Amino acid sequence: MRAVLGSRGLGDVYKSQASALAPAPAKQHTALLTGTTKGKIAAAAALDQLGVSFSWGGGSAKGPTLGIGRGARTRGFDCSGLTLYAWSRAGVRLSHYTGAQFRQGRRIALRARRMGDLLFFGGGTGDPTHVALFLHGGLMIHAPKTGDVVRKTNFLTSSYFRTAFRGAVRPG
């Protein structure tokens, strides 16, 4: 089957399978073709959050929240809040800290990535400082920084993300 891509990603063409598998159906990207996986459910949940504000410390398994510190007045997600929310829709519990998520799941080679896998960036030799969900090709979805919104980015063509890449993890 071929995905029809719209301006928001996978579009409204997918309607049935993942909603039966996910604990709570996503608003718009409820299924991602035949053979729905937990990773596809997580990706669909993240795609439904496109345009939601970044909020430092924001996000929970239930969705966007008020953050802490710099995010105390903004309802939204930080990077690990978005990934923990997305994977919670697939029934997988993640910590709300990028460094902990880096250790939750199975490390995979970049060439073996699948939809929903977590991509980690930055942090030198310490814990990574940023996490995103892989979509397809070089595309990821993430909550980038204060003042920004949940968005898609091509990490393979970004000089920053290419050089800051730390690894990929498959939760669950």
Side-chain angles (χ1 to χ4, degrees):
M1 254 183 165
R2 188 174 148 249
V4 177
L5 298 177
S7 63
R8 289 197 54 173
L10 296 170
D12 294 324
V13 296
Y14 312 113
K15 296 290 180 196
S16 62
Q17 274 187 319
S19 61
L21 299 173
K27 294 182 283 193
Q28 195 172 39
H29 302 92
T30 55
L32 299 170
L33 302 175
T34 303
T36 298
T37 64
K38 287 182 179 185
K40 289 179 179 181
I41 294 167
L47 284 164
D48 283 336
Q49 302 306 310
L50 281 167
V52 171
S53 294
F54 179 93
S55 179
W56 188 262
S60 74
K62 295 181 180 180
T65 66
L66 290 174
I68 59 173
R70 295 179 285 183
R73 295 182 183 191
T74 305
R75 181 170 297 282
F77 293 102
D78 67 7
C79 64
S80 60
L82 176 65
T83 56
L84 86 81
Y85 166 75
W87 273 94
S88 76
R89 302 293 87 195
V92 176
R93 177 182 247 157
L94 294 176
S95 299
H96 193 168
Y97 173 62
T98 300
Q101 289 183 8
F102 193 51
R103 295 180 285 279
Q104 292 180 290
R106 181 169 47 99
R107 294 277 176 97
I108 56 162
L110 185 58
R111 69 182 178 281
R113 65 197 183 274
R114 289 192 287 204
M115 188 175 287
D117 287 345
L118 301 179
L119 305 173
F120 294 89
F121 305 91
T125 58
D127 284 342
T129 55
H130 190 63
V131 61
L133 277 97
F134 174 71
L135 295 174
H136 59 85
L139 207 57
M140 67 181 189
I141 184 168
H142 64 136
K145 63 185 184 233
T146 300
D148 210 335
V149 297
V150 173
R151 66 177 54 247
K152 294 183 280 183
T153 298
N154 188 323
F155 70 97
L156 292 178
T157 62
S158 162
S159 59
Y160 170 75
F161 286 114
R162 270 197 337 262
T163 59
F165 181 73
R166 291 285 304 280
V169 168
R170 184 164 299 139

